[in-house]
Amino acid sequence: MKYAHVGINCTRLDQSVDFYTLLFGVDPVKTKDDYAKFLVEAVRLNFTLNARSKVGGNQVNHFGFQVDSAREVAEHRERLQAAGLTIEKEEVDTTCCYAVQDKFWVVDPDGNEWEFFYTKEDADVHSKDATVCCNQK
């Protein structure tokens, strides 16, 4: 496979392009009045934004990047904070999706949540706290 592809609708294309440029750390490879395309080589992701006048409902739970170490989680958090993005939530040693993880979350202009996470070990339960993990919705 060449790339994984994710295409999302957005209501504020300019703000979304700014957000994703910071999130991915790369500029879009194509922009139009109603469209933007990012090729994120580090994770082989073809990501597109499609401008719409209205976005209704969230059919996606969340998006994320699994990284190789807790240190890498911290590096991405520091990079995004320095770029001006708000870290919505940080979780350390949290049990989520049958794993013990360190993670943080950011949210794009249309409310899509992104997590950066490192999996430390497997767990026997989905989560220990209903306010963390994918249960936060």
Side-chain angles (χ1 to χ4, degrees):
M1 287 185 272
K2 189 171 181 179
Y3 288 94
H5 173 63
V6 173
I8 65 170
N9 295 331
C10 64
T11 58
R12 298 173 294 255
L13 184 63
D14 290 345
Q15 290 178 10
S16 293
V17 167
D18 291 345
F19 175 87
Y20 284 104
T21 298
L22 296 174
L23 183 71
F24 297 144
V26 299
D27 291 324
V29 296
K30 184 186 294 186
T31 56
K32 302 291 182 186
D33 290 341
D34 62 349
Y35 177 86
K37 176 180 178 180
F38 292 83
L39 291 178
V40 188
E41 294 293 337
V43 292
R44 307 293 294 161
L45 175 65
N46 173 332
F47 182 85
T48 59
L49 296 166
N50 303 281
R52 301 289 184 261
S53 60
K54 181 179 177 183
V55 176
N58 183 8
Q59 301 304 309
V60 175
N61 185 282
H62 68 279
F63 301 99
F65 295 104
Q66 184 172 9
V67 299
D68 291 323
S69 68
R71 179 71 214 139
E72 192 174 350
V73 169
E75 289 168 356
H76 284 289
R77 184 185 67 244
E78 292 163 9
R79 173 181 67 83
L80 294 174
Q81 283 177 311
L85 294 184
T86 300
I87 305 304
E88 296 293 327
K89 183 189 259 188
E90 290 186 64
E91 300 173 71
V92 177
D93 290 325
T94 190
T95 300
C96 178
C97 298
Y98 299 96
V100 177
Q101 303 171 346
D102 286 354
K103 63 175 69 185
F104 72 89
W105 299 83
V106 293
V107 179
D108 81 1
D110 285 293
N112 292 299
E113 296 174 314
W114 285 82
E115 69 173 326
F116 284 77
F117 68 99
Y118 168 63
T119 299
K120 296 177 175 184
E121 61 187 44
D122 287 334
D124 293 329
V125 296
H126 185 274
S127 61
K128 292 181 179 178
D129 181 344
T131 66
V132 300
C133 188
C134 308
N135 296 327
Q136 62 192 4
K137 303 246 177 229

